[in-house]
Amino acid sequence: MVALSYKHKGKIVKIHSTCFHDVESQHKIANIGLVPGAIIKVLDYNKSNHVLHLQVCNVEYVLRDEDCNLIYVEVV
């Protein structure tokens, strides 16, 4: 497993685990569907803002690099 990053741009990945240390962040991530077993598509990476553009269950989200580093995925 590797951390979700810009290297996954254009790929479909499956979330293996998340490692958020506070309950509030874990809850926010889970509410948008970023939970173990979820399949997501990495649409783009904005280098200047350091954010990944993701598609989760046909809804698009933007997630900061620092949060992506706490989500471990495998390419499907």
Side-chain angles (χ1 to χ4, degrees):
M1 300 320 119
V2 294
L4 181 61
S5 74
Y6 69 90
K7 295 176 184 177
H8 296 104
K9 179 180 173 182
K11 296 182 180 173
I12 296 175
V13 298
K14 180 178 180 181
I15 297 178
H16 180 265
S17 61
T18 60
C19 296
F20 291 90
H21 300 293
D22 62 292
V23 176
E24 185 178 335
S25 293
Q26 182 68 39
H27 184 69
K28 286 179 181 179
I29 292 299
N31 277 343
I32 63 171
L34 296 175
V35 295
I39 304 294
I40 61 174
K41 184 172 184 181
V42 182
L43 300 173
D44 202 3
Y45 178 69
N46 185 315
K47 193 174 187 177
S48 61
N49 292 330
H50 303 283
V51 294
L52 275 179
H53 183 194
L54 308 172
Q55 183 177 30
V56 184
C57 299
N58 293 322
V59 179
E60 296 181 16
Y61 296 98
V62 175
L63 201 61
R64 300 175 298 180
D65 275 346
E66 59 196 61
D67 293 327
C68 291
N69 290 332
L70 300 173
I71 300 172
Y72 294 92
V73 299
E74 57 185 311
V75 177
V76 293

